[in-house]
């Protein structure tokens, strides 16, 4: 099995949209409006949810006329949220066909089909021509891809000159290997963790100018400490990414937060620009 097959297998499951909408209506009532905000506790598929998406979007400050690319968009919660908040267009690309189906269905349910487009595809071979996007971002996905330079080269190709690439993903920590299973990989074979220094090197090699590359682990671990305590004592909240991934999410999230707190992971944020 290739790494790509293993990644798809890790994320794929059936009837995602039905599970998401049923969970939301069970918790918020049958008449709940289906919006990027009401869906946000479930469809931002990364550890810090909509807060992290808001921080990433703020790095790019998109204008309403902008067209953004979401590399490895998942079920497209971040793409819908950014399109709604900034009134811009977003195209998402993802490897997992079941996620692309759910993303399109949830775009329709939120009335965002016109402004959020979803394409099946790989970050290593983006299905779009060069100079197509004003900005691009990727959140909580690069851990699954060993060839990060290949992703950066593709992002560089499809960005317009002057366009920004904003990144947020887990990287290697200084205190040894993280605890598995983790949300993106049950074992280390599809978890490709690099350092901020290696990230900077690869962004430069792809042709980008670096605005910053930083490790936000300390801030993230501090913010997550009460969440970890709550998860350990009270279990999963009624709404969360476990609606999509299943009950294993509890162990995965605990391991992720413990690994952050122990310095076994870095949380890499980067902003880079394609030269004008
Ligand atoms: C943890 S999810 C994050 C999804 C989304 N970015 C978010 O924050 O909600 C990781 C996603 O990366 C996608 N992915 C992993 N490797 C990929 C690749 N080579 N090309 C495109 N998508 C990929 C997976 O299918 C999955 O949807």
């Amino acid at each position: 099995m290739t790494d790509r097959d293993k990644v798809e297998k890790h994320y794929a499951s059936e009837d995602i949209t039905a599970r998401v909408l049923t969970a939301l209506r069970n918790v918020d009532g049958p008449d709940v409006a289906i919006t990027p905000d009401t869906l946000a506790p479930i469809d931002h598929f990364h550890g810090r949810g909509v807060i992290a998406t808001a921080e990433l979007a703020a790095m790019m400050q998109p204008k309403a006329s902008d067209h953004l690319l979401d590399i490895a968009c998942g079920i497209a919660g971040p793409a819908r949220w950014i399109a709604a908040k900034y009134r811009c267009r977003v195209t998402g690309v993802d490897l997992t066909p079941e996620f692309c189906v759910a993303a399109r269905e949830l775009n329709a349910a939120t009335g965002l089909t016109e402004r959020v487009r979803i394409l099946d595809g790989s970050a290593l071979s983006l299905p779009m021509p060069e100079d197509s996007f004003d900005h691009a971002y990727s959140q909580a996905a690069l851990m699954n891809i060993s060839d990060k330079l290949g992703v950066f080269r593709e992002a560089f190709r499809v960005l317009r000159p002057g366009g920004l690439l904003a990144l947020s993903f887990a990287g290697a920590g200084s205190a040894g290997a993280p605890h598995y299973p983790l949300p993106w990989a049950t074992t280390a074979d599809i978890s490709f963790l690099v350092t901020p220094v290696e990230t900077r090197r690869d962004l430069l090699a792809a042709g980008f100018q670096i605005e910053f590359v930083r490790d936000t682990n300390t801030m993230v671990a501090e913010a997550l400490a009460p969440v970890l305590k709550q998860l350990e004592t009270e279990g999963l909240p009624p709404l969360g990414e476990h609606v999509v991934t299943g009950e294993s999410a509890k162990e995965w999230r605990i391991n992720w937060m413990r690994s952050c707190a122990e310095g076994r992971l870095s949380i890499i944020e980067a902003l880079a620009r394609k030269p004008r």
Side-chain angles (χ1 to χ4, degrees):
M1 204 188 263
T2 63
D3 288 345
R4 180 182 169 143
D5 293 337
K6 287 182 198 166
V7 170
E8 266 188 56
K9 191 161 176 270
H10 174 73
Y11 288 109
S13 66
E14 296 300 318
D15 301 325
I16 293 172
T17 304
R19 278 186 279 128
V20 168
L21 296 181
T22 302
L24 184 62
R25 289 180 177 128
N26 284 344
V27 173
D28 287 357
D31 299 325
V32 61
I34 309 299
T35 70
D37 281 325
T38 58
L39 288 171
I42 309 174
D43 67 1
H44 292 244
F45 221 61
H46 47 259
R48 289 195 310 128
V50 67
I51 296 171
T53 300
E55 288 172 1
L56 192 71
M59 290 185 202
M60 297 176 284
Q61 286 297 326
K63 298 191 292 290
S65 56
D66 283 346
H67 187 185
L68 270 52
L69 171 65
D70 184 331
I71 301 168
C73 63
I75 62 172
R80 282 185 293 279
W81 191 88
I82 291 172
K85 178 167 169 60
Y86 291 93
R87 315 292 308 160
C88 59
R89 281 185 301 146
V90 183
T91 291
V93 176
D94 202 278
L95 199 67
T96 304
E98 291 84 349
F99 277 8
C100 292
V101 169
R104 290 185 196 104
E105 290 171 347
L106 292 169
N107 289 347
T110 50
L112 281 165
T113 299
E114 293 298 313
R115 279 195 289 126
V116 182
R117 185 173 59 135
I118 304 298
L119 300 177
D120 289 78
S122 167
L124 290 164
S125 171
L126 291 170
M128 54 266 305
E130 59 188 26
D131 297 356
S132 305
F133 295 97
D134 297 291
H135 303 302
Y137 63 92
S138 183
Q139 194 173 20
L142 287 177
M143 307 83 75
N144 282 133
I145 306 172
S146 62
D147 182 9
K148 290 174 185 41
L149 175 56
V151 177
F152 299 159
R153 284 198 169 120
E154 273 296 84
F156 189 92
R157 181 180 68 76
V158 302
L159 272 174
R160 299 205 171 108
L164 291 166
L165 173 65
L167 302 172
S168 170
F169 61 102
S174 53
H179 304 290
Y180 289 93
L182 284 162
W184 60 89
T186 50
T187 53
D189 62 342
I190 51 165
S191 181
F192 306 101
L193 303 176
V194 296
T195 62
V197 170
E198 289 165 326
T199 304
R200 172 181 286 273
R201 179 202 62 200
D202 285 349
L203 284 167
L204 288 171
F208 283 102
Q209 293 168 345
I210 307 280
E211 304 278 322
F212 60 78
V213 178
R214 60 192 178 206
D215 177 6
T216 59
N217 170 288
T218 308
M219 185 269 288
V220 169
E222 218 174 279
L224 289 177
V227 185
L228 173 59
K229 204 167 198 167
Q230 198 172 14
L231 196 53
E232 284 172 332
T233 52
E234 297 169 29
L236 292 164
L239 295 179
E241 61 185 73
H242 58 277
V243 172
V244 179
T245 58
E247 294 297 310
S248 316
K250 180 179 173 188
E251 185 188 5
W252 297 357
R253 282 179 66 77
I254 287 175
N255 282 343
W256 175 67
M257 293 181 205
R258 275 184 55 213
S259 298
C260 282
E262 293 170 12
R264 294 170 184 274
L265 289 171
S266 53
I267 303 296
I268 300 174
E269 281 185 3
L271 189 65
R273 189 183 293 279
K274 178 170 175 172
R276 289 178 206 281

